[in-house]
């Protein structure tokens, strides 16, 4: 028997059904707003009618006749009085509106469960905010928490989402250890698994605690609206920065606050160090930086120490000089990068001596991206070769005036293998993935201003640029487009940003032939004498 086709409303997909439900819901809300006075009056008439029926049923049978006569006489008097029926109708509508109003009692204070939670939190803070010598303590066992907690908010589950605390002036809020004890206590008592922001007002002796909303994780790699030399590391809270960027989250446009890293000769943080656990998103950050650098016309050198092949999508692309995975190739690549940095410095210096602008090739940004370089360093030492990381000293120390930027991504367990030059010259720092407060402080130089959670999505962490504040960070989703286990939309977004394949021989091969100071001096002289 032939199968009957589905109705069109069911076969046209769920999009039309969802759109129809939205339209119906919007129409119902609009009708409710327009008819709200009639609904109130109707509810009041129903209440008055119910009250009249109840009063009539309570009236004894021997008194119902006189009551009917009295009611009829009142109706006759109202009918004979000028404007009587109109005044009676107005009075009836007013009484119906009064009885039909919304009588939901407004919440004026915390519930019993919320009061108990605030009381227990107050008692837990007593040992930290009180001393025996205080004649009138603000915090005391069995005291009133209303004086200490001037503001509070709760969520649907009854957990604290915001709390404003007043504490005594003798509390040592200037010591990091004292503040850390209070923050740990509030974190444990208010509910774990959430990220809290602690805002200390040391002048006013006040502490404001609030729960932070999760950062958006659905923003994929895309062309960001930035100036030359600006790189979007990720996105943060609205109050952390004074700038927003228009982005697409899925198909919806949004304005989100970004963490902008500025590079170039005028940058105070010319190099970046990203640290995280395996799977935390450091490779995603490097891919995002590489795509933005290529879009701004820079040259990119990639050294993949992990050898996972996550950067194979960039191999052979226009602007990508090399993608190296072995210790021998990494040693040659970084040696060329050091010589290229010296060549740029010499050429720029010679050009300025004769009063000419710097050559064009010295002003083209060169990005050196290293993912887990400690693995290659260990392999090189095991084979009896030189440490490739030693070649990074020249780009790190002198890369800023030569338009050379170094980005290093490493794991927490291998940080001791990084040399001192990396730690001294990477003033922009990023920590991704789950990490303890002390681990974050060791890398960034300051502890995070929020409480890190144990479970975070990939690309979630903290960033600090130079001596600035610590920002929460969510890296845009930039997966390996050849990895079929990732989201198809994110993979397609990366594929659309990749440059075209570069025809002909590799650019780095011809540059490697220029070795030694004589070749550098010859190139600098030619560049300086060029018109």
């Amino acid at each position: 028997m032939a199968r009957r086709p589905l109705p069109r409303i069911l076969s046209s997909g769920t999009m039309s059904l969802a759109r129809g439900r939205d339209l119906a819901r919007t129409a119902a809300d609009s009708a409710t707003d327009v008819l709200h006075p009639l609904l109130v009056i109707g509810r009041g008439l129903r209440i008055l009618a119910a009250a009249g029926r109840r009063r009539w049923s309570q009236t004894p049978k021997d008194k119902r006749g006189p009551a009917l006569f009295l009611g009829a006489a009142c109706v006759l008097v109202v009918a004979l009085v000028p404007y009587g029926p109109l005044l009676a109708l107005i009075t009836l509508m007013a009484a119906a509106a009064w009885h039909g109003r919304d009588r939901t009692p407004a919440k004026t204070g915390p519930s019993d469960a919320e009061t108990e939670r605030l009381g227990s939190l107050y008692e837990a803070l007593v040992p930290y905010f009180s001393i025996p010598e205080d004649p009138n303590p603000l915090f005391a066992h069995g005291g009133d928490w209303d004086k200490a907690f001037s503001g509070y908010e709760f969520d649907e589950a009854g957990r604290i989402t915001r709390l404003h605390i007043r504490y005594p002036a003798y509390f040592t809020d200037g010591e990091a250890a004292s503040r850390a004890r209070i923050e740990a206590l509030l974190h444990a008592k208010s509910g774990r698994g959430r990220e809290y922001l602690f805002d200390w007002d040391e002048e006013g002796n006040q502490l404001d605690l609030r729960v932070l909303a999760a950062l958006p994780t659905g923003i994929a790699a895309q062309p960001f609206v930035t100036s030359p030399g600006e790189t979007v590391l990720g996105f943060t809270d609205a109050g952390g920065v004074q700038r927003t960027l228009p982005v697409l989250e899925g198909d919806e446009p949004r304005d989100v606050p970004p963490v902008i890293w500025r590079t170039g000769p005028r940058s105070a943080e010319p190099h970046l160090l990203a640290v995280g656990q395996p799977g935390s998103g450091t490779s995603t950050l490097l891919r995002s930086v590489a795509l933005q650098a290529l879009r701004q016309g820079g040259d990119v050198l990639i050294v993949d120490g992990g050898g996972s092949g996550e950067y194979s999508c960039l191999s052979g692309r226009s602007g990508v000089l090399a993608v190296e995975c072995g210790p021998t190739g990494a040693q040659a690549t970084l040696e060329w990068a050091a010589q290229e940095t010296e060549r740029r410095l010499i050429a720029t210096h010679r050009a300025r001596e004769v009063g000419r602008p710097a050559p064009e090739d010295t002003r083209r940004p060169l990005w050196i991206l290293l993912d887990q370089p400690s693995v290659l360093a260990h392999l090189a030492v095991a084979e009896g070769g030189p440490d490739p990381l030693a070649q990074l000293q020249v780009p790190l120390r002198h890369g800023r005036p030569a338009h050379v930027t170094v980005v290093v991504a490493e794991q927490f367990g291998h940080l001791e293998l990084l040399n001192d030059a990396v730690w001294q010259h990477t003033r922009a720092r990023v920590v991704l993935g789950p990490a303890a407060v002390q681990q974050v402080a060791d890398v960034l130089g300051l502890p995070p201003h929020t409480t890190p959670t144990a479970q975070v999505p990939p690309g979630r962490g903290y960033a600090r640029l130079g001596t600035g504040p610590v920002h929460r960070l969510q890296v845009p989703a930039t997966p390996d487009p050849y990895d079929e286990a990732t989201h198809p939309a994110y993979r397609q977004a990366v594929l659309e940003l990749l440059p075209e394949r570069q025809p002909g021989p590799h650019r780095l091969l011809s540059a490697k032939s220029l070795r030694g100071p004589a070749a550098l001096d010859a190139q600098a002289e030619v560049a300086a004498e060029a018109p």
Side-chain angles (χ1 to χ4, degrees), residues 336-367:
W336 174 86
Q339 293 183 4
E340 174 66 11
T341 304
E342 294 174 351
R343 184 194 68 82
R344 291 185 175 209
L345 291 175
I346 295 173
T348 303
H349 180 68
R350 297 271 178 92
R352 290 176 178 174
E353 280 184 343
V354 297
R356 295 181 181 274
E360 182 64 28
D361 61 341
T362 63
R363 290 180 290 172
R364 184 181 178 89
L366 174 61
W367 293 74

Side-chain angles (χ1 to χ4, degrees), residues 392-438:
L392 278 179
Q393 293 189 9
V394 174
L396 285 171
R397 294 178 187 229
H398 310 290
R400 181 173 61 177
H403 295 270
V404 178
T405 302
V406 179
V407 181
V408 180
E410 193 51 85
Q411 297 181 7
F412 276 108
H414 303 155
L415 291 180
E416 67 276 1
L417 300 179
L418 298 178
N419 52 30
D420 295 337
V422 175
W423 288 105
Q424 292 176 4
H425 298 283
T426 53
R427 292 173 49 83
R429 304 283 180 86
V430 173
V431 175
L432 298 180
V437 175
Q438 188 59 42

